[in-house]
Amino acid sequence: MAEWGLQAIIRPNQYDHQQDDCFGSIDIKKEYDQALLFCFPHLFENNHHDYDHATTTTNNMQADDLNQLYKPFYSVPPPPAASADAEDDIRINRHRFHDPDQETQRDQAQEIKKFSGSASNTSQLAPKLKKRKNQQKRVVVQVTAAGLSSDPWAWRKYGQKPIKGSIYPRSYYRCSSSKACMARRQVEQSCTDSSIYILTYTAEHNHPQPTRRNSLAGINRNRVKVTPKSPTNSSDFGKTLTKSKGSQVHSPTTISASSSMEDEVLQQSNIKEETTFYNKCDINQGHDTMMMPEINDEECMVFGDDFFEGLEDLGGESSSYYSSNKQFPNVFC
DNA sequence: CGACTTTGACCTGCGC
DNA sequence: GCGCAGGTCAAAGTCG
């Protein structure tokens, strides 16, 4: 993973196993749970009667569990349940749920370690982390193009920046449902696999999930079909980026507007998502697979800051494996 | 007219 | 303090 700042990838159907061996004390399950709740909370709504788990006979999730799960991400009650179809299809490993209070305490402890711990320890074990001081807890999700349009929240773009080390710019979105909502989303395209987009969610929504997206007004604009032109290097791309008014650049932004493939994805998904955003949670036989909505097995990887920090400590061995093989070692699975 | 995208400028944190 | 890089602002233009 030469240029990609994100140093780790994990597949949702694989992280269940052996992650303790791979990542020590890093709680990957926790990150994954958080990401799912953060981005796709409706997956957890009123579906407890359908939750399934391959290794237990208990299918019921207590209401208290759900309340606990929502705490970190909602200041208001969750919206009504998703469609019955979605309910039928959703399968969630109950063992992935966790106690957010414990999580909060652990996060705080980690933060304390991170910023007030021994400098010698951290500097020796890992390269200096370039973290913004006010950086909030964030959740990183990898999705494909379809996954981009599967987000039920209404996002409004407020900026785009070329990112050092990446040939693709990063787009910045804020929640447009409510002006007071501090939720943010960053979208950038993976350097190693242009079909993968990295979504980074920060802050949390302070309002219920919209039943309809109110951000569709601009989604059909700029539908000038231009063959995506992959920039050859960062500097070239930067020029293109800043001079591209009127000409589309293949970027996380224009992807939603100009790519023909994305056009189709969006047009189809825009229709579907008003009734049901998430109807494809799947279980592979024998595997405990939690599918992101409308995202295939290969399309979704979720992880958080703690995860990356742990990997940095590991020296990037795992990430180099992915960059060279585009596959995940079994040790991740 | 309202909501959107685009994009240059500006702000802020961090390393040196 | 300076420079770099990430993040945000806001004006301008577009679209339904």
Side-chain angles (χ1 to χ4, degrees):
Chain A
M1 186 117 7
E3 299 173 344
W4 188 20
L6 297 170
Q7 304 256 328
I9 296 170
I10 185 167
R11 286 200 300 186
N13 62 325
Q14 297 176 329
Y15 85 91
D16 273 335
H17 315 287
Q18 302 181 12
Q19 71 275 15
D20 288 343
D21 295 335
C22 307
F23 304 113
S25 62
I26 301 168
D27 193 342
I28 300 171
K29 287 182 181 179
K30 181 196 75 172
E31 298 293 352
Y32 184 64
D33 293 345
Q34 239 181 29
L36 290 177
L37 273 167
F38 195 91
C39 311
F40 308 100
H42 49 294
L43 285 175
F44 297 83
E45 294 160 14
N46 300 334
N47 289 320
H48 49 277
H49 60 282
D50 272 335
Y51 290 166
D52 195 3
H53 185 256
T55 60
T56 72
T57 56
T58 303
N59 290 341
N60 296 324
M61 188 171 182
Q62 301 301 320
D64 286 348
D65 294 339
L66 282 175
N67 289 335
Q68 289 297 310
L69 284 167
Y70 275 115
K71 273 185 186 175
F73 304 108
Y74 279 102
S75 56
V76 295
S83 71
D85 287 344
E87 282 189 7
D88 290 341
D89 289 340
I90 290 172
R91 302 288 188 274
I92 295 176
N93 180 352
R94 189 187 174 193
H95 283 195
R96 288 175 180 149
F97 299 123
H98 56 282
D99 183 351
D101 292 329
Q102 289 179 1
E103 170 188 302
T104 301
Q105 290 173 6
R106 184 168 48 197
D107 286 346
Q108 289 172 347
Q110 287 173 348
E111 288 300 307
I112 292 171
K113 274 187 187 176
K114 212 179 298 171
F115 293 109
S116 66
S118 155
S120 59
N121 282 347
T122 52
S123 61
Q124 285 176 359
L125 292 176
K128 289 180 182 177
L129 296 177
K130 227 178 181 179
K131 276 202 158 187
R132 308 297 284 188
K133 195 176 181 180
N134 61 349
Q135 211 167 28
Q136 296 174 282
K137 182 75 179 180
R138 48 176 61 195
V139 176
V140 181
V141 184
Q142 284 196 14
V143 300
T144 59
L148 279 179
S149 60
S150 297
D151 194 324
W153 300 98
W155 299 102
R156 176 174 178 168
K157 186 176 182 177
Y158 65 89
Q160 177 174 309
K161 288 281 289 185
I163 301 301
K164 189 182 182 183
S166 173
I167 60 174
Y168 302 106
R170 177 181 296 163
S171 298
Y172 300 90
Y173 297 83
R174 63 163 55 99
C175 180
S176 64
S177 297
S178 167
K179 285 186 177 180
C181 182
M182 295 303 294
R184 295 285 189 275
R185 181 176 81 158
Q186 298 174 4
V187 180
E188 65 180 290
Q189 204 167 353
S190 168
C191 290
T192 54
D193 187 343
S194 61
S195 65
I196 290 178
Y197 299 89
I198 302 158
L199 309 183
T200 304
Y201 294 86
T202 56
E204 46 189 272
H205 297 274
N206 61 357
H207 55 88
Q209 180 182 311
T211 54
R212 294 174 62 93
R213 283 213 288 204
N214 61 357
S215 61
L216 297 179
I219 208 163
N220 290 321
R221 67 176 55 215
N222 296 334
R223 294 212 172 262
V224 181
K225 311 244 176 181
V226 176
T227 303
K229 190 176 178 180
S230 297
T232 53
N233 57 51
S234 300
S235 57
D236 286 347
F237 180 79
K239 290 175 190 172
T240 309
L241 181 67
T242 54
K243 309 276 184 186
S244 64
K245 205 164 190 174
S247 66
Q248 296 294 326
V249 185
H250 192 47
S251 74
T253 302
T254 52
I255 272 165
S256 65
S258 62
S259 160
S260 57
M261 184 194 78
E262 291 295 323
D263 271 352
E264 282 190 35
V265 170
L266 285 171
Q267 285 167 358
Q268 291 171 6
S269 63
N270 287 344
I271 295 171
K272 283 191 292 183
E273 64 196 359
E274 290 186 1
T275 52
T276 168
F277 285 104
Y278 309 107
N279 53 4
K280 286 188 183 175
C281 284
D282 193 14
I283 280 194
N284 290 347
Q285 318 144 353
H287 295 285
D288 227 8
T289 303
M290 169 75 186
M291 300 293 292
M292 297 297 268
E294 302 192 1
I295 301 171
N296 293 329
D297 182 20
E298 304 287 336
E299 294 173 335
C300 170
M301 293 137 276
V302 183
F303 28 78
D305 271 0
D306 297 342
F307 180 64
F308 296 126
E309 287 159 13
L311 281 182
E312 285 174 3
D313 289 341
L314 292 175
E317 197 175 323
S318 54
S319 56
S320 63
Y321 184 99
Y322 173 71
S323 64
S324 59
N325 294 300
K326 296 283 169 51
Q327 286 289 338
F328 301 94
N330 287 336
V331 71
F332 277 2
C333 306

